[in-house]
Amino acid sequence: MRQLAVRIAAYTFAFVLAVAAARLLVGDQLSDLIADTVSSWIEVPEESQDLYRMMGYQEGMAINGKVAFRDLSDYHAIVGIIKGPVLWSAYIVGLAIVAFVTCAQAARGVDALTRAIELMAEGEGAPVLEPELASAQRELARMEEHERQQIRAAQAAETRKNELVAYLAHDIKTPLTSIVGYLALLAENPDAPREARARYAQTALEKAQALDGMMDEFFEITRYNLSAIPVEREWVDARMLVEQVVDELYPQAQARDVELSAVAPESLEAFVDPQKMARALSNIVRNGIAFARKGSTVSCTVEEADGSAVFTVRDMGKEISPAHLERIFERFYREDASRGQGGAGLGLAIAREIVEAHGGSIEAASANGVTTFTVRVPLAPSASEC
């Protein structure tokens, strides 16, 4: 519509200029031609000249020097037609041509865009459009690049998922073989010494527990859907939340010779989903326990800052490179690429989704062997939720 309006304005201006130029250049000649064509001079006696003047006839001089008159009524009628219906008709016809050309170009542009979108939907690249569709060409290029990024991200996620399934399937085989082997020893040697039978049973139990953990990871992968994480918030004592997480993970920390500490002020309440937030913090603390140096301490603190509850989990161990820090919250990203070992690569991704579902943020930093995870969630509901 804007292009059509601009073209109509330009056409109107050009039409006015053309009419003015025509009147200036050929107006007099055209008037004489019309007048000479539709009227003729009549020599009038001197006694009748006043009567012809009263009738409005044009007065002139004949070749022989006598006064002559001619009737210009037909001339004025023709000139009126030219200035009125003919001129306006020409203007309207020009407008119609301008509108038709503009609409035809717009239709071709729509057809070109439709075809380009169809080609992109079929997996082909966007074709080169006409120069007047340069803005549409840039937008198509942007859409094409965005689609390629999505495809690459989906392929990378699928590849990582397949690798992790293969990784778990391979690792499941190892403890399962040990379980079968030790149980076979127990079955084949019922008269074995009690100490040996106890050692076989304990080893089989440990391998079964490891297998159970691997199966939990496998089921987590198969049902993983971050968008399905529901959040039901309520007022929660932040100190009790942190202490609960630390208490639940105490056995794991003891098994790895790692100390746990919880530091939180009294009477600090946050508007969160207690179960989901506990899960997020548990995933982060568990990650710290897994990679902390033996004999070190994994601390979990919470404080109030700028209207948010700030949870900080800090461990001392092998640091994470900046390249891995950028991807550490991705789904199915295994930390063994950055810190020596790891599970299914879902814990930190789930923690991020839970935190973001609360309207908060999570970030990680690692330097000089100290890795810090910082979680910020609003202390109170936003105004739109009240």
Side-chain angles (χ1 to χ4, degrees), residues 119-385:
L119 291 175
M120 291 178 64
E122 293 172 359
E124 301 182 17
V128 178
L129 302 178
E130 297 179 0
E132 55 266 24
L133 297 176
S135 59
Q137 183 80 65
R138 290 191 296 270
E139 185 64 20
L140 287 176
R142 189 192 66 79
M143 292 172 58
E144 188 176 15
E145 178 60 26
H146 181 66
E147 183 179 2
R148 282 197 295 264
Q149 291 177 356
Q150 287 185 322
I151 292 174
R152 286 195 295 266
Q155 290 174 344
E158 185 65 22
T159 299
R160 289 195 299 271
K161 183 176 179 179
N162 292 338
E163 290 175 351
L164 281 165
V165 171
Y167 153 78
L168 287 174
H170 176 271
D171 280 11
I172 285 172
K173 184 68 175 177
T174 300
L176 185 59
T177 301
S178 297
I179 292 171
V180 172
Y182 283 105
L183 290 179
L185 287 175
L186 288 173
E188 293 171 1
N189 299 280
D191 297 329
R194 185 172 182 178
E195 294 78 7
R197 291 171 58 85
R199 187 172 66 254
Y200 296 159
Q202 180 62 32
T203 304
L205 176 61
E206 292 175 356
K207 298 299 181 180
Q209 290 172 340
L211 180 61
D212 181 63
M214 292 180 183
M215 292 305 298
D216 287 342
E217 288 188 342
F218 182 79
F219 288 131
E220 191 77 7
I221 291 174
T222 58
R223 69 169 182 256
Y224 187 70
N225 183 1
L226 294 179
S227 62
I229 295 180
V231 173
E232 298 176 352
R233 288 174 286 186
E234 60 184 81
W235 289 104
V236 175
D237 187 318
R239 179 176 183 176
M240 290 184 60
L241 180 65
V242 170
E243 291 177 347
Q244 174 189 348
V245 170
V246 170
D247 289 343
E248 290 178 352
L249 296 177
Y250 180 77
Q252 295 184 26
Q254 286 293 100
R256 295 207 69 251
D257 191 19
V258 173
E259 294 292 329
L260 287 180
S261 69
V263 179
E266 296 183 358
S267 304
L268 176 59
E269 291 191 334
F271 192 65
V272 298
D273 184 321
Q275 294 182 347
K276 298 302 186 301
M277 187 54 63
R279 182 183 182 189
L281 293 176
S282 178
N283 288 349
I284 299 171
V285 175
R286 186 180 291 109
N287 178 85
I289 294 173
F291 301 117
R293 187 178 71 248
K294 289 187 177 182
S296 65
T297 300
V298 175
S299 64
C300 183
T301 65
V302 59
E303 59 182 352
E304 180 181 355
D306 299 328
S308 297
V310 181
F311 298 88
T312 304
V313 178
R314 184 176 290 106
D315 69 83
M316 299 180 63
K318 184 178 179 180
E319 67 183 28
I320 310 173
S321 69
H324 289 124
L325 278 175
E326 294 179 357
R327 300 181 55 197
I328 199 169
F329 295 109
E330 292 181 10
R331 65 177 68 181
F332 306 122
Y333 178 71
R334 286 174 56 192
E335 294 180 67
D336 59 335
S338 60
R339 301 183 74 172
Q341 57 180 323
L346 291 172
L348 295 180
I350 292 175
R352 181 187 65 178
E353 292 300 323
I354 292 174
V355 171
E356 291 181 350
H358 282 79
S361 63
I362 182 173
E363 57 186 20
S366 187
N368 301 322
V370 178
T371 299
T372 304
F373 289 87
T374 304
V375 173
R376 292 180 175 85
V377 293
L379 280 172
S382 61
S384 61
E385 296 172 326

